[in-house]
Amino acid sequence: MVVDGFEIVDEISNIEHGFSKARWGRRATTTVDCEKISNMNDEVDVLIVGAGFGGMYMLHKVRELGLSAQVFEAGDGVGGTWYWNRYPGARCDVESLEYSYSFDAELQQEWKWSERYTSQPEILEYANHVADRFDLRRDIEFSTRVEHTHWNEATNRWGVSTDTGRTCSAQFVVMATGCLSSANVPDFPGIDDFAGEVYHTGRWPHEGVDFAGKRVGVIGTGSSGIQSIPVIAEQCADLTVFQRTPNYSIPAHNGSIDSQYEAEVKADYAEFRDENRQMNGGFGARSGFHDEPSIGYAEEERRARFEQQWQRGGFAFMRAFNDLMIDDTSNATARAFVRDKIAAVVDDPETAALLTPVPTQVIGCKRICLDTYYFETYNHDHVHLVDVSTAPIETFTPTGLRTGGVEYDFDCVVLATGFDAMTGTLTRIDIRGVDDEALTDAWSAGPVNYLGLQVPGFPNLFTITGPGSPSVLTNMIVAIEHHVEWISDCIEHLAATGLSTISAAPDAAATWVDHVNDVADMTLMPTCNSWYLGANIPGKTRVFMPLIGLPPYAEKCTEVAQAGYEGFILA
Ligand code: N01
């Protein structure tokens, strides 16, 4: 259905605070208000879309270059993913001392985290602190969603228009739109008829949700489900979890931050950051990484190593050996260890079996979850697990939902059903490059770009942590800082050399996409239906989107720049 130039779609990416069931969201159709695009009411050097950690730092860097910038942000505050994902239990799975900006020595010294893994409210507080400290807000227009971004070949500039009627012309556009910004709401029949409340974890109401005395259903057992289920269970009267695929989850062993460790890190923060940048994912250098394969280890020794890393908590577990993601036999030993842990924690053997991934399911193929008492939660009498792997959710009803012929009644249902990751937010904006080519057409067979930074035919448009770069496989802030600095150096280079445009060469991009997939194929990462492959979205082209390995990637980006931006066309 097309209304007022917008197609009404079954997704909620445009709703700010929670959402109404009757109106999931809007997506720009191909109908473009050309007048808006051509009569720009503002002109800047760099237009930045999004005021999360990427957009904020980009703005800061652009100002350092002495250029003008405008940020458009759909939310009414900064923080990006941490602005939207306010569900109970939301916290970072990378340790606080690592998940923070490194670009300003004073900032990293003065900020004090309270927990080992920071909660969403504290990260949002940090984002607001950064916005104030660097006086960022004056160039950010909030509650303003970019809908159209068109390249004008006559002027070599981008025309950008928003849902508020604001327009802007810019020489450069930087998409700092995040990788997990477009909520995935499966097409559940009858959802509009459900009389209760429906919430998506990625669009949580700012005022919170009162679960007291309520019957709650949670659909989904990825990171968002696994973090929120124990907290919701504490608050509600009755909880039913609908699980399609069981997940591996490692206890976070969260707690207050160790002040001695914090002092050690802060004594030489630069060294700590450097060590982490040398890690494959840009984090965890001091989490007991063992750079040796598991082969040759006797079963007992191997288990002792796994146990040691298990006790460290979180991603450290996957650093017990260096071949866990490339050798299925080695991976099988890790997953057997976790299977035993689940069996030891969950009282009811039937529930334990349902919660346990099948032996062939590679651990780490989907992003590992970090939890706090997730499996323990199923030992409570008021918490129930329903397997929907063979009998999917048939329909919502006015009082709940039905699956496997059984009706479940709820006061509210939480959708922890994930995101249209990495490409979803970009393809929902009407982006058009040279010859009016739509990004959706350029990416119809999967995302094509060079270094995850630029799409051929879309000059002067950069993506921060785009597909084709390590992004979601890293500590995002490390990847963000790397991209922002590369982009700002690139813009500075163009200005210094009197050039006005840069765009990825088609052959370089084609080779790069092959490279990203070749690297993935050397690992066990493509072996499951993960969102890294787009496999969670019906109809999405199945292609491995992020590049594995931050250090070689960063080296390549440096080499390309030093070689005069090899693989790019400069004009
Ligand atoms: O989403 P997911 P998420 N019927 O896609 C299920 C980051 N993150 O929001 O596995 C029934 O992982 C789906 O089932 P299946 C982190 O990178 C980080 O939890 O597809 N079930 C799955 O169980 C993470 O990886 C943190 O079979 C349906 C779940 O919904 C990413 O965000 C915290 C269904 C979706 O899991 C996404 O995590 C939270 C259907 N029709 C998130 N459709 C940190 O700690 C989907 N599902 C920083």
Side-chain angles (χ1 to χ4, degrees):
M1 181 171 50
V2 176
V3 178
D4 193 22
F6 292 92
E7 181 189 2
I8 304 301
V9 293
D10 261 6
E11 53 92 9
I12 59 167
S13 63
N14 292 353
I15 304 296
E16 283 175 25
H17 308 293
F19 58 92
S20 104
K21 295 192 301 307
R23 188 169 161 277
W24 296 112
R26 305 188 308 164
R27 171 169 65 200
T29 64
T30 50
T31 316
V32 180
D33 189 338
C34 294
E35 206 180 320
K36 264 189 197 169
I37 296 277
S38 53
N39 289 320
M40 296 297 135
N41 54 20
D42 208 351
E43 287 208 354
V44 291
D45 295 314
V46 185
L47 188 286
I48 300 162
V49 187
F53 282 93
M56 287 200 294
Y57 184 35
M58 194 71 236
L59 171 58
H60 179 65
K61 287 298 283 182
V62 170
R63 283 187 187 162
E64 278 185 352
L65 292 178
L67 301 177
S68 60
Q70 171 68 58
V71 182
F72 288 138
E73 163 58 53
D76 66 9
V78 297
T81 201
W82 301 105
Y83 169 93
W84 297 103
N85 286 267
R86 298 170 186 242
Y87 60 84
R91 67 175 66 250
C92 192
D93 54 8
V94 173
E95 293 195 22
S96 320
L97 287 163
E98 301 176 40
Y99 193 85
S100 51
Y101 285 122
S102 71
F103 70 83
D104 188 281
E106 277 177 27
L107 170 68
Q108 66 183 7
Q109 285 297 335
E110 76 196 8
W111 186 261
K112 202 159 168 49
W113 298 104
S114 60
E115 289 177 281
R116 180 180 174 196
Y117 294 100
T118 314
S119 65
Q120 173 273 330
E122 198 173 25
I123 303 180
L124 194 57
E125 199 186 320
Y126 173 72
N128 278 291
H129 169 75
V130 171
D132 293 336
R133 197 183 191 287
F134 297 98
D135 187 23
L136 299 178
R137 291 177 211 278
R138 67 184 150 88
D139 288 323
I140 306 175
E141 197 157 310
F142 293 105
S143 305
T144 304
R145 180 172 289 277
V146 169
E147 294 188 327
H148 305 286
T149 306
H150 290 194
W151 178 247
N152 184 330
E153 283 161 66
T155 60
N156 274 351
R157 293 179 72 83
W158 285 96
V160 177
S161 70
T162 73
D163 62 351
T164 62
R166 272 280 268 131
T167 57
C168 190
S169 144
Q171 187 182 357
F172 300 96
V173 168
V174 181
M175 305 303 292
T177 40
C179 296
L180 297 159
S181 317
S182 287
N184 168 41
V185 176
D187 190 11
F188 292 121
I191 195 162
D192 288 346
D193 302 328
F194 175 54
E197 305 146 37
V198 181
Y199 303 99
H200 189 285
T201 49
R203 290 293 180 274
W204 206 256
H206 285 199
E207 63 279 13
V209 177
D210 181 8
F211 289 112
K214 289 186 179 158
R215 298 159 304 166
V216 182
V218 174
I219 303 174
T221 52
S223 299
S224 306
I226 282 178
Q227 286 188 339
S228 59
I229 284 164
V231 186
I232 295 173
E234 271 175 21
Q235 299 169 6
C236 71
D238 196 81
L239 174 65
T240 304
V241 176
F242 296 91
Q243 172 192 270
R244 191 166 64 182
T245 313
N247 233 321
Y248 295 105
S249 185
I250 316 286
H253 298 312
N254 188 32
S256 52
I257 206 152
D258 179 335
S259 50
Q260 195 186 331
Y261 178 62
E262 183 187 12
E264 271 168 35
V265 167
K266 287 192 168 177
D268 194 355
Y269 224 141
E271 167 63 24
F272 182 66
R273 300 290 194 186
D274 279 347
E275 282 173 30
N276 281 311
R277 284 191 202 101
Q278 298 315 312
M279 298 295 288
N280 207 32
F283 69 107
R286 296 190 190 169
S287 65
F289 176 51
H290 293 95
D291 195 7
E292 55 188 6
S294 68
I295 197 159
Y297 272 78
E299 172 71 6
E300 210 173 297
E301 284 177 305
R302 196 186 301 115
R303 284 207 155 238
R305 169 76 60 82
F306 281 138
E307 183 63 35
Q308 185 189 26
Q309 294 299 93
W310 182 269
Q311 293 309 330
R312 280 180 189 270
F315 287 117
F317 180 74
M318 292 302 284
R319 303 209 172 91
F321 298 100
N322 68 5
D323 59 350
L324 293 178
M325 286 315 298
I326 50 174
D327 181 341
D328 190 51
T329 311
S330 172
N331 189 282
T333 63
R335 52 203 199 232
F337 182 90
V338 179
R339 290 165 61 83
D340 289 350
K341 288 285 186 190
I342 298 171
V345 166
V346 182
D347 295 340
D348 173 40
E350 230 172 89
T351 306
L354 271 184
L355 286 167
T356 307
V358 293
T360 50
Q361 191 176 318
V362 165
I363 184 169
C365 177
K366 288 186 178 181
R367 188 177 173 106
I368 290 256
C369 303
L370 268 63
D371 74 89
T372 300
Y373 303 131
Y374 173 65
F375 292 112
E376 289 84 345
T377 299
Y378 293 92
N379 292 335
H380 295 296
D381 290 340
H382 73 298
V383 179
H384 324 283
L385 181 66
V386 176
D387 173 25
V388 292
S389 61
T390 47
I393 291 163
E394 288 161 38
T395 182
F396 271 68
T397 66
T399 55
L401 59 82
R402 188 170 66 234
T403 169
V406 181
E407 303 245 349
Y408 297 86
D409 287 346
F410 297 117
D411 299 303
C412 53
V413 172
V414 173
L415 305 176
T417 44
F419 302 89
D420 184 353
M422 303 205 77
T423 55
T425 309
L426 294 168
T427 53
R428 279 165 206 191
I429 300 173
D430 170 34
I431 303 176
R432 285 163 188 269
V434 172
D435 293 334
D436 205 32
E437 185 188 19
L439 183 70
T440 45
D441 291 336
W443 282 7
S444 59
V448 178
N449 65 18
Y450 185 44
L451 301 178
L453 281 160
Q454 270 215 326
V455 184
F458 295 78
N460 291 6
L461 183 129
F462 298 97
T463 50
I464 294 183
T465 63
S469 74
S471 65
V472 291
L473 299 176
T474 68
N475 172 356
M476 284 302 286
I477 298 196
V478 172
I480 282 169
E481 287 191 326
H482 172 253
H483 266 188
V484 167
E485 286 161 18
W486 193 95
I487 292 166
S488 107
D489 288 350
C490 175
I491 291 174
E492 189 177 26
H493 172 80
L494 291 180
T497 48
L499 296 162
S500 60
T501 63
I502 178 166
S503 60
D507 54 343
T511 308
W512 187 252
V513 172
D514 289 345
H515 171 67
V516 171
N517 282 279
D518 289 348
V519 174
D521 288 341
M522 289 191 275
T523 74
L524 302 170
M525 296 293 288
T527 59
C528 63
N529 291 325
S530 69
W531 57 258
Y532 299 134
L533 281 161
N536 63 328
I537 303 296
K540 191 166 174 175
T541 307
R542 195 183 170 102
V543 53
F544 197 81
M545 294 183 282
L547 172 71
I548 299 164
L550 180 69
Y553 169 77
E555 243 171 70
K556 170 77 180 170
C557 289
T558 305
E559 281 167 20
V560 164
Q562 283 172 350
Y565 292 90
E566 197 173 38
F568 290 93
I569 303 161
L570 282 73

